[in-house]
């Protein structure tokens, strides 16, 4: 198991260094293309980590599955944002990225609570989920965009 972890950490270091080399000193279009490749690679790695979590973790660790799934959604949103060609597509991609981002703190908090064996009632995850949904709806509402758009047209 230790050998596998060493190989994984070396692979992670290699990916980090190669991503730094990809973004190099080129024109802006080349940097954008290389960043899109990096975001796509991170999305694929996140997907592989989710599959590994589902296959290798025997106990019921649904908060880890939620965490890995939301990381995939965030990375997918960033990937779409980096390849967007219009403002509308960029706004949709940003909403996708943010929909995963609002779930991350909740999942991490619940993982910490479970690891520390802290007792909690059933309403804690439900209230955290409702709070996450409220934050997403508040941040992703289109009313501000419409108001700003009307001011710009006039």
């Amino acid at each position: 198991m230790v050998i596998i972890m060493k190989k994984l950490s070396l692979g992670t270091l290699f990916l980090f260094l190669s991503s730094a080399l990809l973004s190099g000193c080129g024109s802006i279009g080349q940097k954008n293309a290389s960043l899109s490749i990096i975001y796509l690679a991170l999305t694929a790695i996140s997907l592989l980590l989710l599959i590994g979590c589902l296959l290798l973790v025997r106990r019921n660790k649904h908060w880890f599955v939620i965490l890995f799934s939301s990381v995939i959604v965030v990375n997918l949103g960033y990937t779409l944002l980096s390849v967007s060609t219009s403002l509308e597509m960029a706004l949709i991609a940003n909403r996708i990225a943010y929909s995963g981002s609002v779930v991350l703190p909740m999942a991490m908090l619940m993982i910490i609570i479970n690891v520390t064996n802290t007792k909690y009632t059933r309403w804690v995850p439900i209230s955290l989920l409702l709070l996450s949904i409220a934050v997403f709806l508040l941040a992703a509402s289109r009313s501000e965009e419409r108001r700003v758009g009307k001011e710009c047209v006039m």
Side-chain angles (χ1 to χ4, degrees):
M1 188 67 170
V2 174
I3 295 171
I4 293 173
M5 293 304 291
K6 285 183 182 178
K7 287 182 180 179
L8 286 176
S9 62
L10 287 176
T12 305
L13 180 65
F14 173 74
L15 284 173
F16 176 73
L17 291 176
S18 61
S19 67
L21 291 174
L22 277 175
S23 60
C25 296
S27 67
I28 293 174
Q30 289 174 342
K31 287 182 184 179
N32 190 23
S34 64
L35 286 176
S36 299
I37 293 169
I38 292 170
Y39 286 137
L40 187 62
L42 289 174
T43 304
I45 290 169
S46 301
L47 181 63
L48 292 175
L49 287 173
L50 175 64
I51 292 170
C53 177
L54 290 172
L55 294 177
L56 297 177
V57 177
R58 299 289 181 215
R59 291 182 282 164
N60 189 8
K61 299 283 186 181
H62 56 278
W63 290 112
F64 280 104
V65 173
I66 292 171
L67 179 73
F68 285 136
S69 300
S70 63
V71 168
I72 291 172
V73 171
V74 170
N75 287 338
L76 180 67
Y78 287 150
T79 303
L80 294 174
L81 186 61
S82 70
V83 297
S84 63
T85 55
S86 66
L87 178 63
E88 189 64 31
M89 185 176 170
L91 290 173
I92 291 170
N94 200 27
R95 284 188 192 95
I96 291 171
Y98 199 73
S99 68
S101 296
V102 296
V103 179
L104 286 172
M106 176 189 69
M108 287 188 280
L109 178 65
M110 293 307 297
I111 289 170
I112 292 170
I113 287 174
N114 288 334
V115 166
T116 59
N117 290 325
T118 305
K119 303 290 183 212
Y120 60 91
T121 59
R122 185 174 176 90
W123 63 267
V124 171
I126 294 170
S127 62
L128 288 173
L129 180 66
L130 291 175
L131 181 65
S132 296
I133 291 171
V135 167
F136 173 72
L137 291 176
L138 196 75
S141 67
R142 296 188 62 155
S143 61
E144 184 67 24
E145 293 169 14
R146 288 186 188 132
R147 185 174 57 85
V148 171
K150 287 179 182 176
E151 289 174 2
C152 291
V153 171
M154 293 179 175

